Amino acid sequence: MESLKKALDELLQKNIIKKESGERNFYNVIILGPSGWGKSDTVEEWVEQNEIIKPYYWITECFQHSQKIKLSDESLFELYFVPDEINKMDQENTVLILDHFSITDKNARAHLLDLVKNKVVADPTAEDGKRVLDKLWFIVAIAYPDAHFGYDALSEDDLNAFDYVYRINC
């Protein structure tokens, strides 16, 4: 998995250059590979070797169903991340690690793709119900390349939300 670490190092360097030049549109990557090949462990080792990174790990299996909360005006709000989690993601040098990205239903995946493409999450504390995570640095998603555990395989549109797709070929 050294080639994966090398690819992640290259991505990190590109994002450092963008950050130092004042840009806020950073590169995101999705890593595709079969179960049991060490994708998650390799990403965790890579994070530990790069002290500049402040990781926030999220296992998307926890992301299956939104919570419906009642707002003060009695309307219901669909929530995937609670405000405390949103605050933890929206910090300087935070890299969001989305593990098991492909094990999500279509509604949850659409919400995650909005996060990947636009750094936007549903937030009941925001005036319009959405919050842009301006400080979130970039996203590393880890996924299975095919249908898994009864969930749909990732589509080309799903993959196109990412700037880089890294495939582990077996």
Side-chain angles (χ1 to χ4, degrees):
M1 297 301 260
E2 287 305 312
S3 61
L4 174 55
K5 284 184 189 177
K6 183 178 179 187
L8 289 169
D9 283 339
E10 291 171 5
L11 176 74
L12 177 60
Q13 290 308 309
K14 289 177 182 180
N15 280 331
I16 287 172
I17 290 168
K18 284 184 141 219
K19 187 174 187 171
E20 288 174 349
S21 70
E23 289 187 51
R24 299 298 301 165
N25 184 24
F26 301 106
Y27 298 120
N28 300 310
V29 64
I30 187 165
I31 302 162
L32 300 174
S35 179
W37 280 79
K39 300 177 299 292
S40 301
D41 290 341
T42 301
V43 169
E44 191 173 332
E45 289 171 17
W46 172 75
V47 166
E48 289 172 5
Q49 294 169 354
N50 290 283
E51 293 179 6
I52 191 172
I53 293 173
K54 182 178 182 181
Y56 187 80
Y57 292 94
W58 184 260
I59 298 176
T60 58
E61 290 161 299
C62 304
F63 199 75
Q64 291 312 312
H65 306 288
S66 63
Q67 302 172 26
K68 302 255 194 252
I69 61 171
K70 193 173 279 193
L71 299 178
S72 59
D73 67 358
E74 298 297 314
S75 63
L76 290 178
F77 188 89
E78 191 169 27
L79 181 69
Y80 286 96
F81 295 109
V82 296
D84 186 49
E85 293 167 329
I86 296 169
N87 291 335
K88 289 177 183 175
M89 286 187 275
D90 197 23
Q91 296 182 24
E92 286 298 322
N93 295 340
T94 297
V95 175
L96 178 59
I97 313 295
L98 295 173
D99 205 351
H100 298 170
F101 182 83
S102 52
I103 304 178
T104 52
D105 64 32
K106 290 182 181 186
N107 289 337
R109 194 175 297 170
H111 187 80
L112 286 172
L113 290 170
D114 197 24
L115 174 59
V116 170
K117 291 188 281 191
N118 304 311
K119 292 188 179 180
V120 171
V121 295
D123 182 353
T125 65
E127 190 172 310
D128 65 352
K130 293 187 178 252
R131 179 168 162 190
V132 177
L133 304 181
D134 289 320
K135 295 178 184 173
L136 174 64
W137 196 3
F138 62 96
I139 296 170
V140 175
I142 304 165
Y144 303 112
D146 50 11
H148 228 70
F149 302 118
Y151 292 96
D152 295 331
L154 295 173
S155 70
E156 283 303 311
D157 286 340
D158 296 338
L159 297 178
N160 288 336
F162 293 87
D163 303 291
Y164 293 97
V165 177
Y166 184 91
R167 297 178 193 270
I168 297 172
N169 297 317
C170 306

